């Protein structure tokens, strides 16, 4: 897979184990994710503590994100991912016991074609500020900047 510049982009994965969550003092949050009821939240700082700054920085760099943005994204998604992976406390085998580890994978999605809607709202300055004694040239050019991330 390559990005718009032709550079190779590889999917990034992080493994988060139940043990690492428990070691970080997040056992109550983890239990809420695999049990019935609402999922407790986790913060970006807690994600950083579980994953480790170095591993988070490497993953963020490969995704062209900041470590803080990646940690916040993972903090927002992790409860739902675990809840889906271990519904009602059942592991993938259906034997119970929740989950032992979860591997989260991100990959930039290449876009070959993009056709967005662009709404323009042209305006003319108030008449009080215009000199209408002479012809006024209207420059119809527009500059649109597209930034690839």
């Amino acid at each position: 897979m390559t990005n718009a510049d032709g550079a190779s982009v590889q999917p990034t994965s992080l493994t988060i184990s139940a043990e690492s969550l428990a070691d970080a003092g997040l056992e109550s949050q983890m239990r809420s994710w695999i049990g019935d009821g609402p999922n407790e939240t986790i913060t970006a700082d807690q994600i950083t503590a579980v994953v480790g700054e170095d591993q988070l920085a490497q993953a963020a760099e490969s995704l062209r994100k900041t470590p803080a943005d990646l940690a916040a994204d993972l903090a927002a998604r992790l409860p739902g991912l675990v809840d889906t992976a271990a519904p009602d406390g059942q592991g993938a085998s259906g034997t119970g016991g929740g989950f032992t580890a979860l591997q989260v994978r991100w990959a930039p999605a290449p876009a070959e074609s993009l056709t967005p809607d662009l709404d323009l709202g042209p305006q003319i300055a108030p008449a009080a500020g215009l000199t209408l004694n002479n012809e006024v040239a209207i420059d119809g050019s527009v500059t649109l900047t597209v930034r690839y991330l």
Side-chain angles (χ1 to χ4, degrees), residues 9-141:
V9 178
Q10 297 301 318
T12 297
S13 64
L14 295 170
T15 300
I16 299 173
S17 68
E19 183 180 2
S20 66
L21 289 165
D23 288 347
L26 301 171
E27 196 165 338
S28 69
Q29 284 97 327
M30 182 177 54
R31 289 189 190 285
S32 77
W33 304 337
I34 61 175
D36 290 333
N39 292 333
E40 291 182 25
T41 60
I42 185 171
T43 67
D45 288 339
Q46 290 169 320
I47 289 292
T48 302
V50 169
V51 173
E53 289 183 16
D54 290 342
Q55 190 176 4
L56 188 67
Q58 283 180 327
E61 182 180 353
S62 71
L63 294 170
R64 296 186 179 179
K65 290 183 168 219
T66 66
D69 286 345
L70 181 56
D73 190 26
L74 188 52
R77 295 174 187 229
L78 186 61
L81 291 171
V82 173
D83 197 8
T84 301
D88 300 322
Q90 298 297 311
S93 65
T95 60
F99 77 103
T100 57
L102 181 70
Q103 186 175 55
V104 181
R105 250 177 102 92
W106 278 275
E112 292 181 16
S113 174
L114 176 64
T115 309
D117 291 329
L118 180 62
D119 294 324
L120 299 176
Q123 295 181 341
I124 296 179
L130 292 176
T131 305
L132 299 175
N133 298 338
N134 298 319
E135 185 175 313
V136 176
I138 298 176
D139 180 2
S141 67

